[in-house]
Amino acid sequence: MFDVIVVGGGLAGLVAANEAADRGRKVLLLDQEGEQSLGGQAFWSLGGLFMIDTPEQRRMGIKDSHALASGDWMGSAQFDRPEDANPRKVAEAYLEFAAGEMHPWLKSVGMRWFPIVGWAERGGEMAHGHGNSVPRFHITWGTGPGVVAPFERLVRAHASAGRITMEFRRKVSGLIVEGGIVKGVQGDVLASDGADRGKSTSREVIGTFEHRAEAVVITTGGIGGDHDMVRQYWPEDRLGKAPERMVAGVPDYVDGQMQRVAENAGAGIINGDRMWHYTEGLANWDPIWPNHGIRILPGPSSMWFDANGERMEAPYLPGFDSLGTLKRILSTGHEHSWFILTQKIIEKEFALSGSEQNPDLTSGKWSEVLKRRMLNKGAPAPVEAFKEHGEDFVVADSLEELVSGMTKITPQVPVDIEKIRTQIEMRDAQIDNEFSKDVQITAIRGARNYRGDRLIRTAKPHRILDRENGPLIAVRLNVLTRKSLGGLHTDVTGQVLRPDGTAFEGLFAAGEVAGFGGGGYHGYNALEGTFLGGCIFSGRAVGRSV
């Protein structure tokens, strides 16, 4: 009855289903959640896309190129394994796409981008190493919902025309393999559940199903919602011991189950130890899913201290090197760290990741952005709400009161006030001159040379302990689980491979379950905007090949 079965209704699945239907293929799209969750984790994202040499960059005076971006990517990926051959090929193909067809193609389906390009994951060390040399983070108008909407619209049009059939509350538990070839899927029909998007849903089984097709495409996401599975793959040799406590950056249905189903059927998995978790996680005071965490997207000015109260050295500065900073934090034997900042910094520099935390950008209206980010006094309302209600925040008029509040939050690791005071005073003494030996002060001034950072992302350098800049704010930062950088081993077309490298006929994969393509096209480090970009690119490739 069907030519192609797509398992997973997230961004990669929507793109793959649409592309296959465009080619005249009859497609079945399955998802274990309800129709209200169509779009998956992408819906909750900030909507950032890694693109190269775009009109938005050129208007901001950014000189980018395929060659510069390729150098940044390969310096960050640090491919060093024999099994990285396909991930490297996918990375090269994505870079070609991001420097060419990506922007006009996405624009043709209705996407538009906020004109100020963000500068994420800046690296902070050598030019040949990790990091973005220039801003490349293009925030989609409408944030995550704005990324999902064009492809949902296209899929629904195909569904109305009978080319795509969508079935929800279908949990695939097995692949049908005959003669070494995948012929279909089987699993459980789950009871209807009208829970809001992102909320936990019932796993009550009310029946079974079986569907057959020429090709099965897995697009079911990563493992970040299952912290036991995260710990199973955690690379202690590279990062240190896995944290006992982490907050969840994804809903609990992002559990890696289809990766296990495919592996049990004979699919190869590579680079499972490569993963991307953030160090600036907050416990959400108004959670949607269990253990819901929100990431701070910081500007460069907050002072960052480890759990012992030692100021962290370069490149472990806000926004520079996520993976290196994670290793640095865990090297203390503790799982948390601290930002210390001022009201002036939080007003200019704090943003929270996620569509629901950025209602102005999600609205897609300039009037809302101007009102919330440029005309209003104070930090954006979602940030102020965390400051008022969040369990990780301390607000105080004096350093003594601030440090006392920090110790109340983490009494098992008290912070010494004189150690903190000395380090802040030494930093503050560097503000009076236009030159400085403090790397972070130099980085702040460098950031303000970029018009976008000066306008909305980087506060003017000032003394932390000057009361005119207060109150003082301390933020406990937790490890927040987010993305799998490894997964099902595929070639550039999305064909899943067996452990011996041969094709597992009939089986394809795209998105995070495939390490965003190839089984790990990021290598060890992500440059941001490459998660949604990887879902779109790998979903497109699969849809055009099945």
Side-chain angles (χ1 to χ4, degrees):
M1 181 179 177
F2 300 105
D3 300 312
V4 179
I5 298 172
V6 177
V7 183
L11 180 59
L14 291 174
V15 176
N18 176 67
E19 291 291 326
D22 278 349
R23 296 173 51 240
R25 307 287 276 166
K26 197 167 182 61
V27 180
L28 173 63
L29 179 62
L30 303 173
D31 198 284
Q32 76 171 4
E33 299 304 310
E35 189 169 0
Q36 70 272 25
S37 292
L38 195 64
Q41 181 57 23
F43 179 92
W44 299 107
S45 73
L46 189 58
L49 294 171
F50 178 103
M51 294 188 286
I52 302 164
D53 191 23
T54 63
E56 290 79 14
Q57 286 177 300
R58 293 192 288 272
R59 282 193 289 268
M60 294 301 295
I62 300 164
K63 297 178 181 179
D64 200 7
S65 68
H66 177 270
L68 183 63
S70 295
D72 287 347
W73 191 295
M74 297 306 168
S76 299
Q78 301 166 19
F79 294 123
D80 61 357
R81 298 171 176 173
E83 59 267 34
D84 282 333
N86 278 318
R88 180 188 289 272
K89 289 177 183 177
V90 174
E92 291 168 348
Y94 176 79
L95 287 161
E96 291 283 352
F97 176 61
E101 191 179 357
M102 184 176 183
H103 188 282
W105 179 62
L106 293 178
K107 186 175 181 181
S108 74
V109 301
M111 281 193 205
R112 298 294 184 270
W113 297 276
F114 186 60
I116 297 176
V117 184
W119 192 0
E121 204 63 19
R122 305 183 190 201
E125 291 187 280
M126 300 297 180
H128 62 271
H130 170 57
N132 282 298
S133 298
V134 298
R136 298 191 176 101
F137 191 74
H138 296 71
I139 298 176
T140 307
W141 275 119
T143 63
V147 175
V148 171
F151 296 104
E152 181 178 348
R153 183 177 64 251
L154 292 168
V155 166
R156 289 193 183 279
H158 279 304
S160 296
R163 291 182 290 270
I164 294 178
T165 299
M166 293 189 285
E167 294 185 3
F168 299 96
R169 302 296 286 162
R170 301 296 190 270
K171 180 177 176 61
V172 174
S173 58
L175 300 175
I176 301 170
V177 182
E178 296 173 352
I181 301 172
V182 174
K183 297 289 188 178
V185 298
Q186 58 192 14
D188 298 322
V189 179
L190 303 181
S192 296
D193 191 323
D196 290 343
R197 180 191 291 270
K199 295 280 189 181
S200 298
T201 56
S202 167
R203 290 295 178 262
E204 179 188 355
V205 175
I206 60 172
T208 60
F209 69 89
E210 178 176 308
H211 292 293
R212 292 175 173 262
E214 294 177 14
V216 172
V217 181
I218 300 175
T219 61
T220 49
I223 67 173
D226 183 340
H227 289 187
D228 289 336
M229 195 169 180
V230 169
R231 294 186 186 95
Q232 174 189 334
Y233 283 110
W234 190 276
E236 290 195 2
D237 58 329
R238 287 191 291 109
L239 297 181
K241 185 180 178 182
E244 290 298 321
R245 178 181 184 269
M246 299 180 279
V247 292
V250 294
D252 57 1
Y253 60 73
V254 185
D255 58 9
Q257 292 305 303
M258 273 307 300
Q259 177 178 305
R260 287 174 167 163
V261 167
E263 183 179 23
N264 290 338
I269 292 178
I270 60 173
N271 299 320
D273 64 318
R274 294 179 183 169
M275 50 186 70
W276 194 251
H277 306 306
Y278 293 111
T279 53
E280 311 99 329
L282 306 174
N284 194 345
W285 67 274
D286 186 20
I288 296 171
W289 53 79
N291 192 27
H292 188 176
I294 293 291
R295 183 200 175 199
I296 298 171
L297 300 173
S301 300
S302 298
M303 295 187 70
W304 205 339
F305 295 87
D306 66 23
N308 296 320
E310 297 287 349
R311 186 182 178 195
M312 295 206 295
E313 65 281 5
Y316 314 126
L317 308 175
F320 280 78
D321 183 350
S322 292
L323 199 66
T325 303
L326 176 59
K327 180 177 180 180
R328 168 65 176 82
I329 289 169
L330 295 179
S331 72
T332 65
H334 303 293
E335 302 166 352
H336 69 279
S337 60
W338 292 98
F339 276 167
I340 293 181
L341 60 150
T342 65
Q343 181 66 23
K344 282 189 177 179
I345 292 173
I346 203 171
E347 288 178 3
K348 190 73 175 273
E349 298 194 6
F350 264 39
L352 300 173
S353 182
S355 55
E356 82 282 10
Q357 301 295 333
N358 294 273
D360 51 345
L361 292 169
T362 302
S363 76
K365 296 178 180 178
W366 257 116
S367 59
E368 290 296 311
V369 173
L370 289 171
K371 181 172 69 175
R372 291 176 181 272
R373 296 179 188 253
M374 298 181 183
L375 300 180
N376 272 7
K377 290 187 177 180
V383 175
E384 286 290 347
F386 265 89
K387 194 177 88 173
E388 180 178 355
H389 303 293
E391 66 182 60
D392 298 306
F393 279 77
V394 181
V395 182
D397 291 324
S398 69
L399 188 62
E400 290 81 3
E401 184 184 355
L402 189 81
V403 172
S404 175
M406 293 164 66
T407 298
K408 285 181 181 178
I409 290 178
T410 57
Q412 72 280 14
V413 194
V415 180
D416 181 81
I417 185 170
E418 292 309 319
K419 180 188 290 187
I420 294 290
R421 188 194 306 277
T422 297
Q423 293 173 94
I424 297 177
E425 288 177 344
M426 293 293 288
R427 177 261 184 210
D428 280 0
Q430 299 286 305
I431 295 296
D432 294 340
N433 293 291
E434 292 185 0
F435 34 84
S436 170
K437 73 174 183 179
D438 190 285
V439 174
Q440 186 173 12
I441 301 299
T442 301
I444 293 167
R445 290 176 172 146
R448 286 176 60 85
N449 286 332
Y450 169 46
R451 187 163 70 249
D453 273 2
R454 189 169 64 252
L455 283 171
I456 65 170
R457 287 294 285 151
T458 305
K460 185 177 179 180
H462 60 268
R463 288 176 174 261
I464 299 289
L465 295 181
D466 188 333
R467 287 184 176 271
E468 292 185 1
N469 301 318
L472 292 168
I473 302 164
V475 188
R476 179 182 60 177
L477 305 173
N478 310 280
V479 176
L480 178 142
T481 60
R482 186 57 66 85
K483 298 298 180 186
S484 313
L485 299 191
L488 295 174
H489 192 186
T490 73
D491 64 17
V492 176
T493 71
Q495 169 72 65
V496 172
L497 307 178
R498 293 181 177 277
D500 64 2
T502 60
F504 193 174
E505 292 187 47
L507 187 62
F508 296 79
E512 190 176 354
V513 74
F516 300 90
Y521 90 138
H522 292 98
Y524 288 98
N525 291 282
L527 290 175
E528 299 293 354
T530 54
F531 303 132
L532 295 180
C535 287
I536 291 169
F537 176 71
S538 59
R540 183 177 186 256
V542 167
R544 294 185 175 190
S545 64
V546 291

